[in-house]
Amino acid sequence: MCEPVHYRIDYEINPWMRRANAVRTERANAQWRGLRETLTALGVEVELVEQGTDTPDMTFTANAGVVVGERFIPANFRFPERQLEEGRFTDWFETHGYRIETVHEPHFWEGEGDVLPADGAVFAGYRFRTEFRALDHIDELLGRETVRLELTDPRFYHLDTCLAPLGGGRGLFYPLAFTEASQKALKEHFPTLIAVSERDAARFACNAVLAGETVVLNTGCGETVRALRDHGFAVAETPMDEFIKAGGSVKCLVLMLDAFREFDGRGRP
């Protein structure tokens, strides 16, 4: 995670961002601390990377890349406004003993925002921030073929804004964020898919983190919370409205250091 000491909206690179909709800094800091405290109380160990003054979106660490064992595969950000983050994240991982392996430039891709593991498979969203051809190299680095999912709605420009794998063949998703073929692929891989309404999707209900059997998500997603509880999950709600101003919520603020722990680094269980 990255404390949002320099978080602000300096540019507009997704439908949520408006420079006129200024971040309330104290409220954003309180919401971020609340999320960190919630995760810590659920047993999650949190490492911190320092934000640069020139990288206002760096607090959205999920986009930094993916961590596979002792390897870090950094993002190639699509927009120049975020490319300064790449060096800062790479430096942190090098300092902490990770080996850096990169995706061929100029193919853009945006880390765990678009590449998510679940139940032995790896799901990859593409179109808005991750380029289809970049996923060929991701496949090589992971040692397995990703399940590629085409996104259709620019509001849900990363996979983690419209899909949350929850383990055991379960997941949250917003169907209309995907093509029909991608919806079919998801249903083939997830025996239990909880469809999220447009209202809750716009509250970033799918941008959630699973800690044990507790799903952590933004407040105000009542239908989704009831559905999760009906499926046996505990739910922790924490306000994220200051981050939704920039198009992110709970999952966007977290990069999982052990998400690919089932692999030895080349796709073998």
Side-chain angles (χ1 to χ4, degrees), residues 43-258:
V44 176
E45 296 181 22
V46 177
E47 298 275 0
L48 296 179
V49 59
E50 186 176 349
Q51 185 176 26
T53 58
D54 54 354
T55 53
D57 274 347
M58 191 172 167
T59 194
F60 298 114
T61 54
N63 310 144
V66 296
V67 180
V68 186
E70 296 180 351
R71 297 184 294 149
F72 175 60
I73 308 171
N76 295 335
F77 283 101
R78 176 175 184 175
F79 290 103
E81 289 88 345
R82 296 201 66 182
Q83 290 168 4
L84 287 174
E85 298 175 31
E86 296 171 12
R88 289 187 174 274
F89 282 118
T90 297
D91 288 347
W92 188 94
F93 280 96
E94 283 184 326
T95 299
H96 286 77
Y98 289 83
R99 185 169 74 256
I100 309 301
E101 297 186 1
T102 58
V103 169
H104 298 304
E105 293 186 347
H107 302 309
F108 53 84
W109 82 289
E110 297 201 354
E112 212 172 69
D114 273 327
V115 179
L116 296 171
D119 303 314
V122 180
F123 297 87
Y126 69 93
R127 183 176 177 182
F128 298 111
R129 295 296 188 88
T130 291
E131 184 181 359
F132 187 87
R133 289 186 61 190
L135 297 175
D136 294 338
H137 198 200
I138 293 294
D139 290 355
E140 294 174 13
L141 293 173
L142 295 180
R144 65 175 45 214
E145 190 173 322
T146 53
V147 180
R148 302 189 186 188
L149 304 169
E150 185 176 4
L151 306 179
T152 62
D153 188 331
R155 295 175 300 167
F156 305 103
Y157 53 93
H158 279 145
L159 182 63
D160 70 357
T161 66
C162 48
L163 174 69
L166 299 176
R170 303 165 296 178
L172 283 176
F173 84 130
Y174 175 52
L176 296 183
F178 299 92
T179 63
E180 289 187 10
S182 296
Q183 291 181 44
K184 182 173 183 290
L186 285 168
K187 291 172 183 175
E188 290 172 351
H189 283 85
F190 288 90
T192 302
L193 267 178
I194 302 170
V196 168
S197 68
E198 182 175 9
R199 178 192 175 281
D200 281 8
R203 296 283 302 166
F204 279 60
C206 294
N207 197 240
V209 167
L210 180 69
E213 285 294 303
T214 300
V215 179
V216 183
L217 77 168
N218 182 36
T219 55
C221 303
E223 294 177 24
T224 303
V225 168
R226 289 189 291 274
L228 287 167
R229 288 176 174 155
D230 287 344
H231 283 83
F233 291 99
V235 178
E237 300 176 76
T238 188
M240 290 279 106
D241 52 276
E242 288 301 317
F243 296 95
I244 289 176
K245 290 178 177 180
S249 187
V250 171
K251 177 62 190 74
C252 290
L253 294 167
V254 177
L255 174 65
M256 306 300 289
L257 298 179
D258 61 353

